[in-house]
Amino acid sequence: MKALIILLLILFIIYGCSETAKESDPSGTYVTHFKNEYSLTDDTLIIRNINSSNQAYNIERKSGFQKIRNGVLKSKEFKSAKWDATYNEDSKVLQQTDLGNQVYITDHNGVKLGDSEYKKIK
């Protein structure tokens, strides 16, 4: 009986550690949508872990936007960018290696890039 209790305790500890690791990993797909007087934009960030031992990530940003000129919505345009970043788990920030962009991990299942807040969809 003691052996069974100890085994269950070990399994709970292992499960708890694996769940904590999953929660601290910012990998996923995040989206945002915004509109102002000049454009209508849908933005997606795809964050992938490329090396867990040194917290290296690849970030892909895909944007689709429509310009608004004189009240007329123009045809949709697309652009994309990719960059590498290092994740600092203490400050919950993905720091771009080359240009210094920062992606902040928020407490409510999202990220923030500049003034734009993204929600995680998967």
Side-chain angles (χ1 to χ4, degrees), residues 24-31 44-51 55-62 81-87 92-95 102-106 109-113 118-122:
S24 66
D25 182 14
S27 295
T29 302
Y30 301 83
V31 297
T44 303
L45 289 178
I46 302 168
I47 301 173
R48 295 182 188 95
N49 185 300
I50 55 175
N51 187 341
Q55 298 293 318
Y57 286 81
N58 178 266
I59 301 172
E60 183 175 6
R61 182 179 186 181
K62 296 180 180 185
K82 291 182 181 181
W83 66 87
D84 293 327
T86 304
Y87 182 54
K92 295 184 178 182
V93 174
L94 284 158
Q95 176 77 38
Q102 295 180 330
V103 177
Y104 296 91
I105 311 305
T106 64
N109 206 24
V111 297
K112 186 172 182 179
L113 175 63
Y118 297 74
K119 297 293 180 193
K120 189 171 189 175
I121 58 169
K122 66 176 179 174

Side-chain angles (χ1 to χ4, degrees), residues 22-46:
K22 288 178 188 175
E23 288 175 13
S24 66
D25 182 14
S27 295
T29 302
Y30 301 83
V31 297
T32 192
H33 171 83
F34 50 92
K35 180 180 181 178
N36 60 32
E37 60 185 294
Y38 303 108
S39 69
L40 177 69
T41 304
D42 294 301
D43 216 5
T44 303
L45 289 178
I46 302 168

Side-chain angles (χ1 to χ4, degrees), residues 6-20:
I6 291 172
L7 179 62
L8 287 173
L9 188 59
I10 291 171
L11 289 174
F12 283 126
I13 291 171
I14 291 171
Y15 178 76
C17 290
S18 66
E19 286 300 306
T20 303

Side-chain angles (χ1 to χ4, degrees), residues 62-84:
K62 296 180 180 185
S63 300
F65 58 95
Q66 291 178 278
K67 294 177 183 174
I68 301 172
R69 299 296 180 257
N70 298 321
V72 177
L73 197 59
K74 301 294 184 176
S75 60
K76 196 162 197 174
E77 299 178 46
F78 300 92
K79 66 180 181 177
S80 65
K82 291 182 181 181
W83 66 87
D84 293 327

